[in-house]
Amino acid sequence: MPLQAITHTFDIGDGRTVTLETGKLARQADGAVLVRMGNAALIATVVSLPEPRPDVDFFPLSVDYQEKFAAAGRIPGGFLKRESRLSDYEILISRLVDRAIRPLFADNYVNDTQIIINLVSNDENIEPDALAALAASSALAVSDIPFQGPISEVRVAKIDGKFMVNPDRNLLDAASVDIIVAATDENVMMVEGEAKECSEADLLEAIKTAHSAIKIQIAAQKTFAEKANAATQKRAVTAPEENKELKEKVLAFSSDKIYEVAKAGLSKHERKNRFKAIKEALFEMLGEEITDEEKAQAATYLAKNEKHIIREMVLNDRVRLDGRKLDEVRPLSMEIDFLPSPHGCALFTRGETQSLTTVTLGTKQDEQMIDKAVGLEYKKFILHYNFPAYSTGEVKPQRGPGRREVGHGNLAMRSLKQVMPNDEDNPYTIRVVSDILESNGSSSMATVCAGSLALMDAGIPLSGGVSGIAMGMISDPENTQRYAILTDILGDEDHLGDMDFKVTGTHKGICACQMDIKIDGLSYETLAQALEQAKKGRLHILNAMDEVISQSREDYKPHAPRIEKIIIAKEFIGPIIGPGGKHIQELQAQTKTIINIEEIDEQGHVTVAAQNKDAIEAAMRRIKAIVAVPEVGEVYDSQVKSIMPYGAFVEFLPGKQGLLHISEVSWERLENLNGLLKEGDTVKVKLVGKDEKTGKFKLSHKVLLEKPKR
């Protein structure tokens, strides 16, 4: 007998429907939901252990999104032929879900929790990333896990001047704004996306459009949970008992000391050491008789008091930990051409955050192939972000990039992509690498600035410079009108604040954004104020960058590879390649070049790359000779292939031969060619005609000679 499922179908707009289903699949999970839209289907499961993890002060949550290749009827590439570690693309979608739901779990809930989302059926017209959070939230809604949702995410794109919610995949190339927004019924939780230099007003309108669509999905989840009889079946969360006497001692001992350090405008490490000294003095004051449990409680009370006092200092005194004003950007320092060997390089320092960014120019063969369930993709613009432990004065094992590094690199890549030349104007594969040498907040935005400078230094013709800034906010939970918006936040301000809002852009507008909100009740008016303050900070940095380099170098570095491109008729692709690639291999070996040929729109696109201009010119001459169409009246350097009694057969273009008749060699009458021409000789000839019936070429050498006077 088939298993029975509980389902709920709802309209998301334009007649498109989504179906939520539970009770049939993955029944041993705490919550499992199948989400269907068109032919797309995602399974989301959530499992949370029944007991809290002991002695932790964080929520141990993991979110993994993975696409099954069978969903698109494909077998994975590579040797193993199976899905393995998450790709960068899947990590980015996992982060979209994680960042949206993490703040909404109940306080003091520290049970190990895992959410797994799998794409199990693909629809060519539907982007699954906009359904992943809906699937995860629905699974939480039908579980007993204490989650203060539901939430959902949608994509909003501005196409032909109109905002569209979850548009078909094939429309996104024409989008001037493309963002994903996550929200509860009342509040926006997360924003991430890119734009082609849009205005702050456009971004705000896109967020509002998204929130309206999300409310429909949240109402559907509530109805779905009621059908599943899971709306009120949530686990109880027990808050730890408070030691009031110990807490009062901690607050009385530390409050004035914390405020004194916070107000001193110290550097990151000085401040850290001073706060550490307060903690050590506190434990010394409490004495050796306190238990380990009381010591842990005292450390917690101290950390919370530190956060509270710093926040109140910002709200009351309108001054920050490093002594800056609320809208002040830290001191800037930047250099280009910092290293001699990379094809482009920039060193960007803002306060205690520093990025050393390099640019490497490569050929078609260096493109990155990405094997996704929905098909192969090729990328010719690559950006990698590295965050070594020494950048924060720590010691950690050197491993592969973590999820944070993947996310920060993607944000910088999306920002710079908006000003890159199109493929027709850019023959290079470009790799940008940002190595963070020191960090105290907003290293991803330093990567954007350094990347823009380095690309200009490399001679890549950007349409404009791009800068980025990270905004923060501290607010009073009891009074929504009492808040402070912070420009260019420190790492500590990110940790103790209520918002992390990164905005990148040019002088013309916004290129990308990433926002995470940790509180309820952020109004659109406050968000608009944050965007306007971000614009001022972004332009301040961009103006400083313009003083270093305001437009790309006119030429590439002398040691950068040179690439030239020529478009040929389709029928000449074969002659250039030759049988089994013989001709092109010989041409590359003889000219020391790298040659790539692609057929695009019934034409051959040929690129030639080399380390010097002479090599490229030599290869281009030979290619142009192969594809040249013989023209009557043109003069050619030909090579004698064979001698006959009646003349010589010569090759005047690659693959093009004609007869140089004995009567066309000289103005004098010749009996034979002995002593005049032999095989292998080079002789100039003029194409004087072509027999349209036979296709034979008529060549002459004597017309290039002065006619003797009689």
Side-chain angles (χ1 to χ4, degrees), residues 458-566:
I460 301 300
L462 304 186
S463 61
V466 185
S467 68
I469 196 161
M471 308 297 295
M473 187 177 74
I474 292 174
S475 63
D476 185 346
E478 304 299 327
N479 181 4
T480 56
Q481 299 303 312
R482 185 169 175 255
Y483 63 88
I485 297 173
L486 312 178
T487 295
D488 181 23
I489 56 175
L490 303 170
D492 286 343
E493 290 172 335
D494 183 10
H495 171 69
L496 59 86
D498 301 320
M499 178 181 74
D500 179 12
F501 193 1
K502 300 180 177 73
V503 187
T504 72
T506 65
H507 286 290
K508 296 178 181 178
I510 294 171
C511 290
C513 67
Q514 184 182 90
M515 178 174 71
D516 294 295
I517 300 173
K518 309 169 191 176
I519 58 166
D520 295 338
L522 178 66
S523 68
Y524 285 114
E525 291 75 15
T526 305
L527 186 54
Q529 183 182 338
L531 279 169
E532 190 58 34
Q533 192 168 317
K535 180 180 180 180
K536 292 178 181 177
R538 189 183 83 229
L539 293 178
H540 168 78
I541 296 171
L542 196 52
N543 289 334
M545 292 167 59
D546 286 345
E547 292 179 7
V548 177
I549 184 169
S550 59
Q551 58 185 13
S552 301
R553 293 183 184 275
E554 294 183 358
D555 195 9
Y556 307 111
K557 298 287 182 71
H559 54 282
R562 304 286 162 151
I563 298 181
E564 288 193 18
K565 185 175 182 178
I566 185 174

Side-chain angles (χ1 to χ4, degrees), residues 52-70:
R53 187 190 290 193
D55 302 324
V56 297
D57 58 356
F58 65 94
F59 177 36
L61 169 70
S62 64
V63 178
D64 294 315
Y65 170 88
Q66 189 170 45
E67 297 182 349
K68 300 296 184 180
F69 276 68

Side-chain angles (χ1 to χ4, degrees), residues 339-407:
L339 299 173
S341 295
H343 301 148
C345 181
L347 179 67
F348 179 89
T349 308
R350 186 187 58 246
E352 296 172 300
T353 296
Q354 186 177 74
S355 169
L356 176 62
T357 295
T358 56
V359 172
T360 306
L361 307 182
T363 68
K364 175 75 176 176
Q365 295 176 346
D366 296 309
E367 285 186 1
Q368 182 183 20
M369 185 186 76
I370 302 173
D371 190 19
K372 297 168 59 177
V374 297
L376 289 174
E377 288 185 2
Y378 292 88
K379 291 176 63 176
K380 61 186 300 182
F381 178 48
I382 306 160
L383 192 148
H384 292 143
Y385 165 98
N386 299 315
F387 193 84
Y390 65 76
S391 65
T392 53
E394 298 175 285
V395 176
K396 294 179 182 177
Q398 285 274 68
R399 299 287 185 263
R403 292 191 175 193
R404 176 183 175 277
E405 290 168 287
V406 172

Side-chain angles (χ1 to χ4, degrees), residues 154-181 192-210 414 418 510:
V154 298
R155 167 178 274 105
V156 171
K158 189 175 185 181
I159 302 170
D160 295 331
K162 296 180 180 179
F163 288 106
M164 301 177 65
V165 176
N166 290 352
D168 286 352
R169 182 180 287 160
N170 60 352
L171 298 177
L172 289 176
D173 286 342
S176 60
V177 177
D178 179 7
I179 65 170
I180 286 185
V181 179
E192 174 140 359
E194 61 188 76
K196 292 180 171 60
E197 298 174 291
C198 79
S199 66
E200 282 71 16
D202 260 6
L203 180 59
L204 199 59
E205 186 62 30
I207 295 172
K208 290 179 180 179
T209 302
R414 298 178 86 173
Q418 310 305 322
I510 294 171

Side-chain angles (χ1 to χ4, degrees), residues 318-330:
R318 315 304 282 182
V319 68
R320 300 161 65 176
L321 283 169
D322 57 357
R324 279 183 293 151
K325 299 176 183 177
L326 301 186
D327 62 351
E328 187 177 349
V329 177
R330 286 172 287 178

Side-chain angles (χ1 to χ4, degrees), residues 37-41 71-72 119 121-128 168-169 374:
M37 181 178 174
N39 288 333
L119 176 71
S121 181
N122 181 57
D123 188 311
E124 291 183 356
N125 292 322
I126 295 172
E127 286 282 15
D168 286 352
R169 182 180 287 160
V374 297

